[in-house]
Amino acid sequence: MSSQIVNLKKVQNICEQCGIYRLCLPMGLSSGDLDQLDDIIKRSRPLKKGEYIFREDEAFGAIYALRSGSIKSFILDERGDEHVIGFKMPGDLVGLSGISGSHYRNSAVALETSSVCEIPFTQLEELGKEVQGLSHHLIEIMSKEIQEEHQKVAMCSKMPADARLASVIQTLSQRFKERGFSASEFHLSMSRNDIANMLGLAVETISRLFTQFQEQGILSVDRKHIRIIDSQKLADLIRMD
Amino acid sequence: MSSQIVNLKKVQNICEQCGIYRLCLPMGLSSGDLDQLDDIIKRSRPLKKGEYIFREDEAFGAIYALRSGSIKSFILDERGDEHVIGFKMPGDLVGLSGISGSHYRNSAVALETSSVCEIPFTQLEELGKEVQGLSHHLIEIMSKEIQEEHQKVAMCSKMPADARLASVIQTLSQRFKERGFSASEFHLSMSRNDIANMLGLAVETISRLFTQFQEQGILSVDRKHIRIIDSQKLADLIRMD
DNA sequence: CGCCCTCTTGAATTAAGTCAAATAATGTGG
DNA sequence: CCACATTATTTGACTTAATTCAAGAGGGCG
């Protein structure tokens, strides 16, 4: 049956089926090149909330593309305390910091039911020699990550608490939008604690700020459901003293 | 004369002459491959203190390897305020965040008389297709930078002021050591202001901490000359509450 | 249904910032 | 090379943003 052939073709090009492949590593590859990339990518069963994609100090073998759900990335200090680096959304790659050295330099855990594509790194590099633009694209993604981390360093250390939280909300909003979701209304998959930790603030401060933002008519907050009421005020918070 | 031929060969392999090429992009390349890399690298006249290597939003064209001196990397916010990202030492690459997008995403300015190698990026990528390992090495360097930025984010947001400064001093010490300089005694090329800015602290706090570290017998501080008296205490500061 | 964990809220405390001012370096033009 | 202007650093006194401690409320999961 011709429908079978079509399906077979479809199965080969899972990336093209994937709603967010334009944000992901396959971006910019031709259909033929996608086939080759498809071949080396392993799709795993969905991860449940709390399951690890990889742990710090584990042997590095692959980078992972998040297909659905969300991931928390963090490192541990000498005392075993968690330091949240950031939250990943579909299309994002995790594990990039493990390429240098032979071990992952952070842990990645699912914040909700999530699925990832495993991209064995050695094979990816091999493929990079053949497929025009693949290495370049990986380098671009890494460049962007460096840039985003720079922003984070600058933001995190010098802004007051309210501006930091506003910035997190705004960034999440933008990222949801890029992925075709509502920019004004979304669900936080991470806990207040995770947000506080990432921003270097106390949980209580985050809690108070959510209340305050609500009183000021900036947000509507119901548990983990956020609605941005006044995005201008939100933006102003980030820019002002 | 044979000495002329030898000199000619030497001129071609400036990288091999460079004291820090093992920390830099050429690391791991064969002598022949180095020749090719040498060919595309432009060495410019030394930069004076305060001169820019590149500015934020300028068109991106090349990454730069610092050969001597030191560089401050920073971004500007909407109000035009500077946010120091970090300080670069010989062998470090700058401009990597400009690869994504076609503009530099930060500025880089010489903190003292410095010299850099300009590595046109398009040519570097071309060469990467021929020279085995070059792309991989660039990716490794970027991976390491991502990892270091993660450390910085974790550090910067959650440690008390004294631990942050201790961490900066310790990191500088390590980096001097890697470059063959004394780990225990060195010169700060950056101002107190730059350090404060990078750490998200007030200049006054940095000043007070230097005084305090001296009183506690951890450091000897004379203007910009630092001597680490008790590296154990310094390390303890970073790990303790 | 009830326990546990997350979140919220209030009150007291503190680390770090701001403001102010003196002192020390650095640079500039004559 | 000196005198003056400018900028960087230090120090003290006071203020404040955010933390810590304590306690209660709410939700979700077994």
Side-chain angles (χ1 to χ4, degrees), chain A residues 6-35:
Chain A
V6 169
N7 284 339
L8 212 62
K9 178 71 189 158
K10 275 187 178 176
V11 171
Q12 272 192 311
N13 273 2
I14 307 181
C15 279
E16 276 186 305
Q17 300 298 306
C18 181
I20 39 73
Y21 88 96
R22 287 169 194 291
L23 296 168
C24 192
L25 192 60
M27 191 271 275
L29 296 189
S30 70
S31 202
D33 291 339
L34 261 182
D35 278 347

PDB file of all heavy atoms in Angstrom, chain A residues 6-35:
ATOM      1  N   VAL A   6       4.514   5.769   2.563  1.00  0.00           N
ATOM      2  CA  VAL A   6       4.542   7.128   3.106  1.00  0.00           C
ATOM      3  C   VAL A   6       4.886   7.105   4.596  1.00  0.00           C
ATOM      4  O   VAL A   6       5.718   7.848   5.088  1.00  0.00           O
ATOM      5  CB  VAL A   6       3.190   7.846   2.880  1.00  0.00           C
ATOM      6  CG1 VAL A   6       3.138   9.138   3.664  1.00  0.00           C
ATOM      7  CG2 VAL A   6       2.993   8.116   1.397  1.00  0.00           C
ATOM      8  N   ASN A   7       4.250   6.176   5.296  1.00  0.00           N
ATOM      9  CA  ASN A   7       4.525   6.069   6.727  1.00  0.00           C
ATOM     10  C   ASN A   7       5.980   5.723   7.004  1.00  0.00           C
ATOM     11  O   ASN A   7       6.587   6.253   7.923  1.00  0.00           O
ATOM     12  CB  ASN A   7       3.621   4.993   7.356  1.00  0.00           C
ATOM     13  CG  ASN A   7       2.218   5.506   7.536  1.00  0.00           C
ATOM     14  OD1 ASN A   7       2.030   6.721   7.558  1.00  0.00           O
ATOM     15  ND2 ASN A   7       1.258   4.617   7.648  1.00  0.00           N
ATOM     16  N   LEU A   8       6.498   4.804   6.199  1.00  0.00           N
ATOM     17  CA  LEU A   8       7.888   4.422   6.360  1.00  0.00           C
ATOM     18  C   LEU A   8       8.795   5.635   6.201  1.00  0.00           C
ATOM     19  O   LEU A   8       9.715   5.858   6.981  1.00  0.00           O
ATOM     20  CB  LEU A   8       8.233   3.352   5.313  1.00  0.00           C
ATOM     21  CG  LEU A   8       9.276   2.319   5.736  1.00  0.00           C
ATOM     22  CD1 LEU A   8       8.751   1.539   6.927  1.00  0.00           C
ATOM     23  CD2 LEU A   8       9.571   1.372   4.594  1.00  0.00           C
ATOM     24  N   LYS A   9       8.502   6.391   5.188  1.00  0.00           N
ATOM     25  CA  LYS A   9       9.272   7.605   4.933  1.00  0.00           C
ATOM     26  C   LYS A   9       9.163   8.552   6.129  1.00  0.00           C
ATOM     27  O   LYS A   9      10.143   9.125   6.582  1.00  0.00           O
ATOM     28  CB  LYS A   9       8.718   8.274   3.665  1.00  0.00           C
ATOM     29  CG  LYS A   9       9.397   9.590   3.283  1.00  0.00           C
ATOM     30  CD  LYS A   9      10.802   9.349   2.765  1.00  0.00           C
ATOM     31  CE  LYS A   9      11.556  10.669   2.591  1.00  0.00           C
ATOM     32  NZ  LYS A   9      13.000  10.465   2.614  1.00  0.00           N
ATOM     33  N   LYS A  10       7.961   8.649   6.615  1.00  0.00           N
ATOM     34  CA  LYS A  10       7.730   9.529   7.758  1.00  0.00           C
ATOM     35  C   LYS A  10       8.540   9.098   8.972  1.00  0.00           C
ATOM     36  O   LYS A  10       9.121   9.902   9.674  1.00  0.00           O
ATOM     37  CB  LYS A  10       6.243   9.547   8.133  1.00  0.00           C
ATOM     38  CG  LYS A  10       5.415  10.545   7.341  1.00  0.00           C
ATOM     39  CD  LYS A  10       4.011  10.617   7.884  1.00  0.00           C
ATOM     40  CE  LYS A  10       3.186  11.656   7.111  1.00  0.00           C
ATOM     41  NZ  LYS A  10       1.801  11.683   7.560  1.00  0.00           N
ATOM     42  N   VAL A  11       8.546   7.783   9.204  1.00  0.00           N
ATOM     43  CA  VAL A  11       9.277   7.277  10.358  1.00  0.00           C
ATOM     44  C   VAL A  11      10.753   7.647  10.261  1.00  0.00           C
ATOM     45  O   VAL A  11      11.395   7.973  11.248  1.00  0.00           O
ATOM     46  CB  VAL A  11       9.116   5.750  10.471  1.00  0.00           C
ATOM     47  CG1 VAL A  11      10.053   5.181  11.523  1.00  0.00           C
ATOM     48  CG2 VAL A  11       7.673   5.412  10.828  1.00  0.00           C
ATOM     49  N   GLN A  12      11.274   7.581   9.038  1.00  0.00           N
ATOM     50  CA  GLN A  12      12.677   7.929   8.867  1.00  0.00           C
ATOM     51  C   GLN A  12      12.956   9.381   9.221  1.00  0.00           C
ATOM     52  O   GLN A  12      13.998   9.714   9.737  1.00  0.00           O
ATOM     53  CB  GLN A  12      13.090   7.667   7.420  1.00  0.00           C
ATOM     54  CG  GLN A  12      13.561   6.233   7.194  1.00  0.00           C
ATOM     55  CD  GLN A  12      14.226   6.103   5.858  1.00  0.00           C
ATOM     56  OE1 GLN A  12      13.677   6.538   4.849  1.00  0.00           O
ATOM     57  NE2 GLN A  12      15.403   5.527   5.845  1.00  0.00           N
ATOM     58  N   ASN A  13      12.025  10.222   8.917  1.00  0.00           N
ATOM     59  CA  ASN A  13      12.243  11.647   9.139  1.00  0.00           C
ATOM     60  C   ASN A  13      11.501  12.153  10.373  1.00  0.00           C
ATOM     61  O   ASN A  13      10.728  13.086  10.290  1.00  0.00           O
ATOM     62  CB  ASN A  13      11.771  12.448   7.922  1.00  0.00           C
ATOM     63  CG  ASN A  13      12.862  12.552   6.889  1.00  0.00           C
ATOM     64  OD1 ASN A  13      13.943  11.997   7.061  1.00  0.00           O
ATOM     65  ND2 ASN A  13      12.582  13.292   5.831  1.00  0.00           N
ATOM     66  N   ILE A  14      11.778  11.506  11.466  1.00  0.00           N
ATOM     67  CA  ILE A  14      11.061  11.900  12.668  1.00  0.00           C
ATOM     68  C   ILE A  14      11.302  13.380  12.972  1.00  0.00           C
ATOM     69  O   ILE A  14      10.426  14.086  13.417  1.00  0.00           O
ATOM     70  CB  ILE A  14      11.478  11.035  13.867  1.00  0.00           C
ATOM     71  CG1 ILE A  14      11.323   9.562  13.502  1.00  0.00           C
ATOM     72  CG2 ILE A  14      10.611  11.355  15.079  1.00  0.00           C
ATOM     73  CD1 ILE A  14      11.671   8.615  14.606  1.00  0.00           C
ATOM     74  N   CYS A  15      12.497  13.830  12.682  1.00  0.00           N
ATOM     75  CA  CYS A  15      12.802  15.237  12.955  1.00  0.00           C
ATOM     76  C   CYS A  15      11.817  16.163  12.240  1.00  0.00           C
ATOM     77  O   CYS A  15      11.332  17.117  12.824  1.00  0.00           O
ATOM     78  CB  CYS A  15      14.232  15.576  12.529  1.00  0.00           C
ATOM     79  SG  CYS A  15      15.482  15.083  13.751  1.00  0.00           S
ATOM     80  N   GLU A  16      11.547  15.811  10.974  1.00  0.00           N
ATOM     81  CA  GLU A  16      10.640  16.679  10.218  1.00  0.00           C
ATOM     82  C   GLU A  16       9.226  16.656  10.787  1.00  0.00           C
ATOM     83  O   GLU A  16       8.457  17.588  10.601  1.00  0.00           O
ATOM     84  CB  GLU A  16      10.625  16.280   8.732  1.00  0.00           C
ATOM     85  CG  GLU A  16      11.781  16.912   7.972  1.00  0.00           C
ATOM     86  CD  GLU A  16      11.695  16.647   6.479  1.00  0.00           C
ATOM     87  OE1 GLU A  16      11.603  15.465   6.077  1.00  0.00           O
ATOM     88  OE2 GLU A  16      11.738  17.620   5.709  1.00  0.00           O
ATOM     89  N   GLN A  17       8.910  15.561  11.468  1.00  0.00           N
ATOM     90  CA  GLN A  17       7.602  15.461  12.108  1.00  0.00           C
ATOM     91  C   GLN A  17       7.539  16.272  13.392  1.00  0.00           C
ATOM     92  O   GLN A  17       6.475  16.583  13.889  1.00  0.00           O
ATOM     93  CB  GLN A  17       7.308  13.989  12.481  1.00  0.00           C
ATOM     94  CG  GLN A  17       7.302  13.061  11.298  1.00  0.00           C
ATOM     95  CD  GLN A  17       6.227  13.440  10.317  1.00  0.00           C
ATOM     96  OE1 GLN A  17       5.071  13.550  10.698  1.00  0.00           O
ATOM     97  NE2 GLN A  17       6.607  13.674   9.062  1.00  0.00           N
ATOM     98  N   CYS A  18       8.699  16.534  13.898  1.00  0.00           N
ATOM     99  CA  CYS A  18       8.782  17.108  15.237  1.00  0.00           C
ATOM    100  C   CYS A  18       8.446  18.596  15.172  1.00  0.00           C
ATOM    101  O   CYS A  18       8.997  19.346  14.365  1.00  0.00           O
ATOM    102  CB  CYS A  18      10.194  16.889  15.782  1.00  0.00           C
ATOM    103  SG  CYS A  18      10.450  17.515  17.431  1.00  0.00           S
ATOM    104  N   GLY A  19       7.523  19.001  16.000  1.00  0.00           N
ATOM    105  CA  GLY A  19       7.028  20.370  15.940  1.00  0.00           C
ATOM    106  C   GLY A  19       8.087  21.426  16.151  1.00  0.00           C
ATOM    107  O   GLY A  19       7.917  22.566  15.718  1.00  0.00           O
ATOM    108  N   ILE A  20       9.152  21.063  16.792  1.00  0.00           N
ATOM    109  CA  ILE A  20      10.135  22.102  17.127  1.00  0.00           C
ATOM    110  C   ILE A  20      11.492  21.893  16.471  1.00  0.00           C
ATOM    111  O   ILE A  20      12.487  22.429  16.904  1.00  0.00           O
ATOM    112  CB  ILE A  20      10.321  22.243  18.653  1.00  0.00           C
ATOM    113  CG1 ILE A  20      10.290  20.886  19.356  1.00  0.00           C
ATOM    114  CG2 ILE A  20       9.285  23.157  19.231  1.00  0.00           C
ATOM    115  CD1 ILE A  20      11.484  20.026  19.173  1.00  0.00           C
ATOM    116  N   TYR A  21      11.503  21.125  15.377  1.00  0.00           N
ATOM    117  CA  TYR A  21      12.824  20.827  14.817  1.00  0.00           C
ATOM    118  C   TYR A  21      13.522  22.069  14.272  1.00  0.00           C
ATOM    119  O   TYR A  21      14.733  22.103  14.139  1.00  0.00           O
ATOM    120  CB  TYR A  21      12.752  19.711  13.766  1.00  0.00           C
ATOM    121  CG  TYR A  21      12.467  20.145  12.353  1.00  0.00           C
ATOM    122  CD1 TYR A  21      13.511  20.347  11.448  1.00  0.00           C
ATOM    123  CD2 TYR A  21      11.172  20.350  11.916  1.00  0.00           C
ATOM    124  CE1 TYR A  21      13.265  20.739  10.149  1.00  0.00           C
ATOM    125  CE2 TYR A  21      10.921  20.734  10.617  1.00  0.00           C
ATOM    126  CZ  TYR A  21      11.971  20.930   9.737  1.00  0.00           C
ATOM    127  OH  TYR A  21      11.723  21.313   8.446  1.00  0.00           O
ATOM    128  N   ARG A  22      12.752  23.117  14.015  1.00  0.00           N
ATOM    129  CA  ARG A  22      13.379  24.342  13.524  1.00  0.00           C
ATOM    130  C   ARG A  22      14.169  25.076  14.597  1.00  0.00           C
ATOM    131  O   ARG A  22      15.009  25.930  14.314  1.00  0.00           O
ATOM    132  CB  ARG A  22      12.323  25.302  12.954  1.00  0.00           C
ATOM    133  CG  ARG A  22      11.809  24.816  11.644  1.00  0.00           C
ATOM    134  CD  ARG A  22      10.590  25.534  11.140  1.00  0.00           C
ATOM    135  NE  ARG A  22      10.015  24.748  10.057  1.00  0.00           N
ATOM    136  CZ  ARG A  22      10.609  24.601   8.859  1.00  0.00           C
ATOM    137  NH1 ARG A  22      11.738  25.206   8.602  1.00  0.00           N
ATOM    138  NH2 ARG A  22      10.057  23.861   7.940  1.00  0.00           N
ATOM    139  N   LEU A  23      13.868  24.750  15.839  1.00  0.00           N
ATOM    140  CA  LEU A  23      14.600  25.368  16.939  1.00  0.00           C
ATOM    141  C   LEU A  23      15.776  24.501  17.364  1.00  0.00           C
ATOM    142  O   LEU A  23      16.595  24.894  18.175  1.00  0.00           O
ATOM    143  CB  LEU A  23      13.676  25.526  18.158  1.00  0.00           C
ATOM    144  CG  LEU A  23      12.481  26.450  17.995  1.00  0.00           C
ATOM    145  CD1 LEU A  23      11.520  26.262  19.157  1.00  0.00           C
ATOM    146  CD2 LEU A  23      12.943  27.889  17.914  1.00  0.00           C
ATOM    147  N   CYS A  24      15.834  23.329  16.802  1.00  0.00           N
ATOM    148  CA  CYS A  24      16.712  22.287  17.316  1.00  0.00           C
ATOM    149  C   CYS A  24      17.914  22.113  16.389  1.00  0.00           C
ATOM    150  O   CYS A  24      18.147  22.900  15.486  1.00  0.00           O
ATOM    151  CB  CYS A  24      15.883  21.004  17.440  1.00  0.00           C
ATOM    152  SG  CYS A  24      16.647  19.672  18.348  1.00  0.00           S
ATOM    153  N   LEU A  25      18.645  21.061  16.622  1.00  0.00           N
ATOM    154  CA  LEU A  25      19.854  20.823  15.839  1.00  0.00           C
ATOM    155  C   LEU A  25      19.607  20.667  14.338  1.00  0.00           C
ATOM    156  O   LEU A  25      20.394  21.129  13.523  1.00  0.00           O
ATOM    157  CB  LEU A  25      20.575  19.582  16.386  1.00  0.00           C
ATOM    158  CG  LEU A  25      21.990  19.351  15.885  1.00  0.00           C
ATOM    159  CD1 LEU A  25      22.903  20.517  16.234  1.00  0.00           C
ATOM    160  CD2 LEU A  25      22.562  18.069  16.466  1.00  0.00           C
ATOM    161  N   PRO A  26      18.501  20.010  13.918  1.00  0.00           N
ATOM    162  CA  PRO A  26      18.286  19.784  12.481  1.00  0.00           C
ATOM    163  C   PRO A  26      18.072  21.058  11.684  1.00  0.00           C
ATOM    164  O   PRO A  26      18.065  21.019  10.448  1.00  0.00           O
ATOM    165  CB  PRO A  26      16.998  18.930  12.442  1.00  0.00           C
ATOM    166  CG  PRO A  26      16.874  18.360  13.801  1.00  0.00           C
ATOM    167  CD  PRO A  26      17.459  19.372  14.722  1.00  0.00           C
ATOM    168  N   MET A  27      17.893  22.158  12.375  1.00  0.00           N
ATOM    169  CA  MET A  27      17.549  23.409  11.706  1.00  0.00           C
ATOM    170  C   MET A  27      18.475  23.679  10.521  1.00  0.00           C
ATOM    171  O   MET A  27      19.680  23.637  10.656  1.00  0.00           O
ATOM    172  CB  MET A  27      17.650  24.562  12.721  1.00  0.00           C
ATOM    173  CG  MET A  27      17.084  25.878  12.266  1.00  0.00           C
ATOM    174  SD  MET A  27      18.286  26.888  11.407  1.00  0.00           S
ATOM    175  CE  MET A  27      19.091  27.705  12.793  1.00  0.00           C
ATOM    176  N   GLY A  28      17.877  23.924   9.403  1.00  0.00           N
ATOM    177  CA  GLY A  28      18.656  24.322   8.239  1.00  0.00           C
ATOM    178  C   GLY A  28      19.181  23.168   7.399  1.00  0.00           C
ATOM    179  O   GLY A  28      19.753  23.378   6.342  1.00  0.00           O
ATOM    180  N   LEU A  29      18.985  21.946   7.863  1.00  0.00           N
ATOM    181  CA  LEU A  29      19.465  20.810   7.071  1.00  0.00           C
ATOM    182  C   LEU A  29      18.466  20.454   5.973  1.00  0.00           C
ATOM    183  O   LEU A  29      17.261  20.618   6.142  1.00  0.00           O
ATOM    184  CB  LEU A  29      19.677  19.582   7.968  1.00  0.00           C
ATOM    185  CG  LEU A  29      20.747  19.676   9.050  1.00  0.00           C
ATOM    186  CD1 LEU A  29      20.974  18.314   9.686  1.00  0.00           C
ATOM    187  CD2 LEU A  29      22.055  20.221   8.490  1.00  0.00           C
ATOM    188  N   SER A  30      19.005  19.951   4.873  1.00  0.00           N
ATOM    189  CA  SER A  30      18.127  19.501   3.798  1.00  0.00           C
ATOM    190  C   SER A  30      17.464  18.191   4.201  1.00  0.00           C
ATOM    191  O   SER A  30      17.878  17.532   5.149  1.00  0.00           O
ATOM    192  CB  SER A  30      18.950  19.265   2.537  1.00  0.00           C
ATOM    193  OG  SER A  30      19.758  18.124   2.719  1.00  0.00           O
ATOM    194  N   SER A  31      16.454  17.811   3.465  1.00  0.00           N
ATOM    195  CA  SER A  31      15.704  16.602   3.794  1.00  0.00           C
ATOM    196  C   SER A  31      16.614  15.378   3.790  1.00  0.00           C
ATOM    197  O   SER A  31      16.527  14.509   4.657  1.00  0.00           O
ATOM    198  CB  SER A  31      14.558  16.421   2.798  1.00  0.00           C
ATOM    199  OG  SER A  31      13.554  15.619   3.340  1.00  0.00           O
ATOM    200  N   GLY A  32      17.505  15.321   2.833  1.00  0.00           N
ATOM    201  CA  GLY A  32      18.422  14.195   2.758  1.00  0.00           C
ATOM    202  C   GLY A  32      19.369  14.141   3.943  1.00  0.00           C
ATOM    203  O   GLY A  32      19.615  13.084   4.526  1.00  0.00           O
ATOM    204  N   ASP A  33      19.874  15.302   4.311  1.00  0.00           N
ATOM    205  CA  ASP A  33      20.779  15.366   5.454  1.00  0.00           C
ATOM    206  C   ASP A  33      20.051  14.997   6.734  1.00  0.00           C
ATOM    207  O   ASP A  33      20.610  14.351   7.622  1.00  0.00           O
ATOM    208  CB  ASP A  33      21.369  16.783   5.590  1.00  0.00           C
ATOM    209  CG  ASP A  33      22.335  17.094   4.451  1.00  0.00           C
ATOM    210  OD1 ASP A  33      22.839  16.134   3.833  1.00  0.00           O
ATOM    211  OD2 ASP A  33      22.571  18.286   4.202  1.00  0.00           O
ATOM    212  N   LEU A  34      18.784  15.392   6.780  1.00  0.00           N
ATOM    213  CA  LEU A  34      17.976  15.061   7.955  1.00  0.00           C
ATOM    214  C   LEU A  34      17.893  13.551   8.140  1.00  0.00           C
ATOM    215  O   LEU A  34      17.959  13.052   9.262  1.00  0.00           O
ATOM    216  CB  LEU A  34      16.568  15.627   7.805  1.00  0.00           C
ATOM    217  CG  LEU A  34      16.304  16.937   8.520  1.00  0.00           C
ATOM    218  CD1 LEU A  34      14.864  17.356   8.338  1.00  0.00           C
ATOM    219  CD2 LEU A  34      16.638  16.804   9.991  1.00  0.00           C
ATOM    220  N   ASP A  35      17.741  12.850   7.019  1.00  0.00           N
ATOM    221  CA  ASP A  35      17.700  11.387   7.086  1.00  0.00           C
ATOM    222  C   ASP A  35      18.912  10.848   7.836  1.00  0.00           C
ATOM    223  O   ASP A  35      18.794   9.998   8.715  1.00  0.00           O
ATOM    224  CB  ASP A  35      17.694  10.784   5.670  1.00  0.00           C
ATOM    225  CG  ASP A  35      16.297  10.792   5.066  1.00  0.00           C
ATOM    226  OD1 ASP A  35      15.335  11.018   5.823  1.00  0.00           O
ATOM    227  OD2 ASP A  35      16.191  10.554   3.849  1.00  0.00           O
TER     228      ASP A  35
END
